Coordinates of all heavy atoms in Angstrom, one line a residue:
N428 N 132.0 177.5 40.1 CA 132.6 177.7 38.8 C 132.6 179.2 38.3 O 133.5 179.6 37.7 CB 131.7 176.9 37.8 CG 131.8 175.4 38.1 OD1 132.8 174.9 38.5 ND2 130.7 174.7 37.8
R429 N 131.5 179.9 38.7 CA 131.3 181.2 38.1 C 131.9 182.3 39.0 O 132.3 183.4 38.5 CB 129.9 181.5 37.8 CG 129.3 180.6 36.7 CD 127.8 180.9 36.5 NE 127.2 180.0 35.5 CZ 127.1 180.2 34.2 NH1 127.7 181.3 33.7 NH2 126.5 179.3 33.4
L430 N 131.8 182.1 40.3 CA 132.2 183.2 41.3 C 133.6 183.0 41.9 O 134.2 184.0 42.2 CB 131.1 183.3 42.4 CG 129.7 183.7 42.0 CD1 128.9 183.9 43.3 CD2 129.7 185.0 41.2
I431 N 134.0 181.8 42.0 CA 135.3 181.5 42.7 C 136.3 180.9 41.7 O 137.4 181.3 41.7 CB 135.1 180.6 43.9 CG1 134.1 181.1 44.9 CG2 136.4 180.4 44.6 CD1 133.8 180.2 46.1
G432 N 135.8 180.0 40.8 CA 136.8 179.4 39.9 C 137.7 178.3 40.5 O 138.9 178.4 40.3
I433 N 137.1 177.4 41.2 CA 137.8 176.3 41.9 C 137.2 175.0 41.5 O 136.0 175.0 41.0 CB 137.9 176.5 43.4 CG1 136.4 176.5 44.0 CG2 138.6 177.7 43.8 CD1 136.4 176.6 45.5
T434 N 137.9 173.9 41.7 CA 137.4 172.6 41.4 C 137.1 171.8 42.7 O 136.3 170.8 42.7 CB 138.4 171.8 40.6 OG1 139.6 171.7 41.3 CG2 138.6 172.4 39.2
H435 N 137.6 172.3 43.8 CA 137.4 171.6 45.1 C 136.2 172.3 45.8 O 135.7 173.3 45.3 CB 138.6 171.6 46.0 CG 139.0 173.0 46.4 ND1 139.8 173.8 45.6 CD2 138.8 173.8 47.5 CE1 140.0 175.0 46.1 NE2 139.4 175.0 47.3
I436 N 135.8 171.7 46.9 CA 134.7 172.4 47.7 C 135.3 172.8 49.1 O 136.4 172.2 49.5 CB 133.5 171.5 47.9 CG1 133.9 170.2 48.6 CG2 132.8 171.2 46.6 CD1 132.7 169.3 48.9
Q437 N 134.7 173.7 49.7 CA 135.3 174.3 51.0 C 134.7 173.6 52.2 O 135.1 174.0 53.3 CB 135.1 175.8 51.0 CG 135.8 176.5 49.9 CD 135.3 177.9 49.7 OE1 134.2 178.3 50.1 NE2 136.2 178.8 49.2
G438 N 133.7 172.8 52.1 CA 133.1 172.1 53.2 C 132.0 171.3 52.8 O 131.5 171.3 51.7
I439 N 131.5 170.5 53.8 CA 130.3 169.7 53.6 C 129.4 169.8 54.8 O 129.8 169.6 55.9 CB 130.6 168.2 53.4 CG1 131.6 168.0 52.2 CG2 129.4 167.3 53.1 CD1 132.2 166.6 52.1
N440 N 128.1 170.2 54.5 CA 127.1 170.2 55.6 C 126.4 168.9 55.6 O 125.9 168.4 54.6 CB 126.1 171.4 55.4 CG 126.8 172.7 55.4 OD1 127.4 173.1 56.4 ND2 126.8 173.5 54.3
V441 N 126.3 168.4 56.8 CA 125.7 167.0 57.0 C 124.6 167.1 58.1 O 124.8 167.8 59.1 CB 126.8 166.0 57.4 CG1 126.2 164.6 57.6 CG2 127.9 166.0 56.3
S442 N 123.6 166.3 57.9 CA 122.6 166.1 59.0 C 122.5 164.7 59.3 O 122.3 163.8 58.5 CB 121.2 166.6 58.5 OG 120.2 166.4 59.5
A443 N 122.7 164.3 60.6 CA 122.5 163.0 61.1 C 121.0 162.7 61.2 O 120.2 163.7 61.3 CB 123.2 162.8 62.4
A444 N 120.6 161.5 61.3 CA 119.2 161.1 61.3 C 118.5 161.7 62.6 O 117.4 162.1 62.5 CB 119.0 159.6 61.3
N445 N 119.2 161.7 63.7 CA 118.8 162.4 64.9 C 119.9 162.7 65.8 O 121.1 162.3 65.5 CB 117.7 161.5 65.6 CG 118.2 160.1 65.9 OD1 119.2 159.9 66.6 ND2 117.6 159.1 65.4
E446 N 119.7 163.3 66.9 CA 120.8 163.8 67.8 C 121.6 162.5 68.4 O 122.8 162.6 68.5 CB 120.3 164.6 69.0 CG 119.7 166.0 68.6 CD 119.3 166.8 69.8 OE1 120.1 166.8 70.8 OE2 118.3 167.4 69.7
K447 N 120.9 161.4 68.6 CA 121.5 160.3 69.2 C 122.5 159.6 68.2 O 123.5 158.9 68.6 CB 120.5 159.2 69.6 CG 119.6 159.7 70.7 CD 118.6 158.6 71.1 CE 117.7 159.1 72.2 NZ 116.7 158.1 72.6
L448 N 122.4 159.9 66.9 CA 123.2 159.3 65.9 C 124.4 160.2 65.4 O 125.1 159.9 64.5 CB 122.4 158.8 64.7 CG 121.4 157.7 64.9 CD1 120.6 157.4 63.7 CD2 122.2 156.4 65.4
V449 N 124.5 161.4 66.1 CA 125.5 162.3 65.7 C 126.9 161.7 65.8 O 127.8 161.8 64.9 CB 125.4 163.6 66.5 CG1 126.7 164.5 66.3 CG2 124.2 164.4 66.1
D450 N 127.2 161.0 67.0 CA 128.5 160.4 67.2 C 128.8 159.3 66.2 O 129.9 159.1 65.7 CB 128.6 159.9 68.6 CG 128.7 161.0 69.6 OD1 129.1 162.1 69.2 OD2 128.3 160.8 70.8
D451 N 127.7 158.5 65.9 CA 127.9 157.4 64.9 C 128.2 158.0 63.5 O 129.1 157.5 62.8 CB 126.6 156.6 64.8 CG 126.4 155.8 66.0 OD1 127.4 155.6 66.8 OD2 125.2 155.3 66.3
A452 N 127.5 159.1 63.2 CA 127.7 159.7 61.9 C 129.1 160.3 61.8 O 129.8 160.2 60.8 CB 126.7 160.9 61.6
R453 N 129.6 160.9 62.9 CA 131.0 161.4 62.9 C 132.0 160.3 62.7 O 132.9 160.5 61.9 CB 131.2 162.1 64.2 CG 132.6 162.9 64.3 CD 133.1 163.0 65.7 NE 132.2 163.8 66.5 CZ 132.4 165.1 66.8 NH1 133.5 165.7 66.3 NH2 131.6 165.8 67.6
T454 N 131.8 159.2 63.3 CA 132.7 158.1 63.2 C 132.7 157.5 61.7 O 133.7 157.3 61.1 CB 132.3 156.9 64.1 OG1 132.4 157.4 65.5 CG2 133.3 155.8 64.0
Q455 N 131.5 157.4 61.2 CA 131.4 156.9 59.8 C 132.0 157.8 58.8 O 132.7 157.4 57.9 CB 129.9 156.6 59.5 CG 129.2 155.5 60.3 CD 127.7 155.6 60.2 OE1 127.1 156.3 59.4 NE2 127.0 154.8 61.0
I456 N 131.8 159.1 59.0 CA 132.4 160.1 58.0 C 133.9 160.1 58.2 O 134.6 160.1 57.1 CB 131.8 161.5 58.3 CG1 130.3 161.5 58.0 CG2 132.6 162.6 57.5 CD1 129.6 162.8 58.4
T457 N 134.4 160.0 59.4 CA 135.8 160.0 59.6 C 136.5 158.8 58.9 O 137.5 158.9 58.2 CB 136.2 160.0 61.1 OG1 135.6 161.1 61.7 CG2 137.7 159.9 61.4
E458 N 135.9 157.6 59.2 CA 136.5 156.4 58.5 C 136.4 156.5 57.0 O 137.4 156.1 56.3 CB 135.8 155.2 59.1 CG 136.0 154.9 60.6 CD 135.1 153.8 61.1 OE1 134.3 153.3 60.3 OE2 135.3 153.3 62.2
L459 N 135.3 157.0 56.5 CA 135.2 157.0 55.0 C 136.2 158.0 54.4 O 136.9 157.7 53.4 CB 133.7 157.5 54.7 CG 133.5 157.7 53.2 CD1 133.6 156.4 52.4 CD2 132.0 158.2 53.0
L460 N 136.3 159.2 55.0 CA 137.2 160.2 54.4 C 138.7 159.8 54.6 O 139.5 160.1 53.7 CB 136.9 161.6 55.0 CG 135.6 162.2 54.7 CD1 135.5 163.6 55.3 CD2 135.4 162.3 53.2
R461 N 139.0 159.2 55.7 CA 140.4 158.7 55.8 C 140.7 157.7 54.7 O 141.8 157.7 54.2 CB 140.6 158.1 57.2 CG 140.7 159.1 58.3 CD 141.0 158.5 59.7 NE 142.3 157.9 59.6 CZ 143.5 158.5 60.0 NH1 143.4 159.8 60.3 NH2 144.6 157.9 60.0
Q462 N 139.7 156.8 54.5 CA 140.0 155.8 53.4 C 140.0 156.5 52.0 O 140.9 156.2 51.2 CB 138.8 154.8 53.4 CG 138.9 153.7 52.4 CD 137.7 152.8 52.4 OE1 136.8 152.9 53.2 NE2 137.7 151.9 51.4
R463 N 139.2 157.4 51.7 CA 139.2 158.1 50.4 C 140.4 158.9 50.2 O 140.9 159.0 49.1 CB 137.9 158.9 50.3 CG 136.6 158.1 50.1 CD 135.4 159.1 49.9 NE 135.7 160.0 48.8 CZ 135.4 159.7 47.5 NH1 135.0 158.4 47.2 NH2 135.7 160.6 46.5
H464 N 140.9 159.5 51.3 CA 142.1 160.4 51.2 C 143.4 159.7 51.4 O 144.4 160.3 51.5 CB 141.9 161.6 52.1 CG 140.8 162.5 51.8 ND1 140.5 163.6 52.5 CD2 139.8 162.4 50.9 CE1 139.4 164.2 52.0 NE2 139.0 163.5 51.0
R465 N 143.3 158.4 51.6 CA 144.5 157.5 51.7 C 145.3 158.0 52.9 O 146.6 158.2 52.7 CB 145.3 157.5 50.4 CG 144.5 156.8 49.3 CD 145.4 156.8 48.0 NE 144.7 156.1 46.9 CZ 143.8 156.6 46.1 NH1 143.4 157.9 46.3 NH2 143.3 155.9 45.2
I466 N 144.7 158.2 54.0 CA 145.5 158.6 55.2 C 145.9 157.4 56.0 O 145.0 156.6 56.4 CB 144.6 159.5 56.1 CG1 144.2 160.8 55.3 CG2 145.3 159.9 57.4 CD1 143.2 161.7 56.0
R467 N 147.1 157.2 56.2 CA 147.6 156.0 56.9 C 147.4 156.1 58.4 O 147.3 157.2 58.9 CB 149.1 155.8 56.6 CG 149.4 155.5 55.1 CD 150.9 155.1 54.9 NE 151.8 156.1 55.3 CZ 152.3 157.1 54.5 NH1 151.8 157.2 53.3 NH2 153.1 158.0 55.0
P468 N 147.3 154.9 59.0 CA 147.1 154.9 60.5 C 148.2 155.7 61.2 O 149.4 155.6 60.8 CB 147.2 153.4 60.8 CG 146.8 152.7 59.6 CD 147.3 153.5 58.5
G469 N 147.9 156.5 62.2 CA 148.8 157.3 62.9 C 149.0 158.7 62.3 O 149.6 159.6 63.0
M470 N 148.5 158.9 61.1 CA 148.6 160.2 60.5 C 147.4 161.1 60.9 O 146.3 160.6 61.1 CB 148.7 160.1 59.0 CG 150.0 159.5 58.5 SD 150.1 159.4 56.7 CE 150.1 161.2 56.3

Side-chain angles (χ1 to χ4, degrees):
N428 299 325
R429 297 178 183 270
L430 297 183
I431 306 179
I433 56 177
T434 57
H435 62 278
I436 58 176
Q437 297 169 332
I439 303 173
N440 296 299
V441 178
S442 177
N445 55 60
E446 290 185 43
K447 295 180 180 179
L448 292 177
V449 168
D450 290 336
D451 290 342
R453 187 205 294 261
T454 300
Q455 293 165 10
I456 293 170
T457 299
E458 293 175 352
L459 175 63
L460 291 183
R461 285 184 65 89
Q462 179 184 356
R463 287 183 56 83
H464 295 182
R465 296 180 174 82
I466 300 174
R467 296 192 297 273
M470 294 182 62

